[in-house]
Amino acid sequence: MFMLEKTIKGLLLFGSVYFVVDGLIHLLNIKLISVADVWPKSAVAYSILLDAIFASFIFLAAGMALVLQSDLKKYKTAILASSLWAIWHGFLLIFLSFNLGLVKLTIPWPSVHLWFPFYDQYLAFQGCLLLLYAVLVLIWFKKK
């Protein structure tokens, strides 16, 4: 049981750090570098707006993950809720990674997928990590 709780705490802490980095990528509009002169100004402006809003929410998620990992027992209901969301989001990322073909569609604009040629597989990996987190939380919650 102790190892399971330690693993969940570790995943929440890792997620918090990851979210901060991801939020900064969106807040600084790094994914828009190669499209700024190609896309219409209205599309770039709207993307900047959505990136800022997304960054704000991702910073909220980072803070929540940091708080949740501080006391699993105290925040067990919120952790359960986060695992249910992780199931949804994990399957969503896996589905999109296999069906969207983001890298193929954005070859002329590599910053959109952060200059990462295996971005679709990376999305699937993120989805798998979320599902792993959800499974571990559900096992932990059931044992409680």
Side-chain angles (χ1 to χ4, degrees), residues 7-8 30 34 41 45-46 59 62 79 81 83 98 100 105 130 135:
T7 304
I8 292 169
I30 292 172
S34 64
K41 290 194 186 310
Y46 189 67
F59 289 142
I79 291 169
S83 75
F98 285 109
L100 195 57
L105 293 172
L130 285 167
V135 166

Side-chain angles (χ1 to χ4, degrees), residues 17-129:
V17 172
Y18 179 85
F19 287 156
V20 168
V21 172
D22 193 40
L24 287 173
I25 287 169
H26 288 278
L27 190 63
L28 299 173
N29 298 307
I30 292 172
K31 288 187 172 190
L32 299 177
I33 291 171
S34 64
V35 298
D37 296 329
V38 182
W39 286 2
K41 290 194 186 310
S42 59
V44 173
Y46 189 67
S47 296
I48 289 171
L49 172 67
L50 289 181
D51 266 353
I53 292 169
F54 180 76
S56 177
F57 277 102
I58 206 71
F59 289 142
L60 172 64
M64 294 299 293
L66 196 58
V67 169
L68 293 178
Q69 68 83 37
S70 69
D71 190 344
L72 297 185
K73 289 179 180 109
K74 181 177 179 182
Y75 300 114
K76 69 180 181 179
T77 306
I79 291 169
L80 178 63
S82 75
S83 75
L84 297 176
W85 170 84
I87 293 169
W88 155 251
H89 197 67
F91 279 125
L92 179 65
L93 288 178
I94 292 168
F95 174 80
L96 292 174
S97 73
F98 285 109
N99 292 298
L100 195 57
L102 188 64
V103 174
K104 245 186 234 175
L105 293 172
T106 60
I107 283 175
W109 310 296
S111 68
V112 172
H113 55 83
L114 284 177
W115 311 282
F116 191 27
F118 302 106
Y119 195 76
D120 293 321
Q121 292 83 358
Y122 176 63
L123 287 178
F125 177 69
Q126 286 179 339
C128 289
L129 279 180

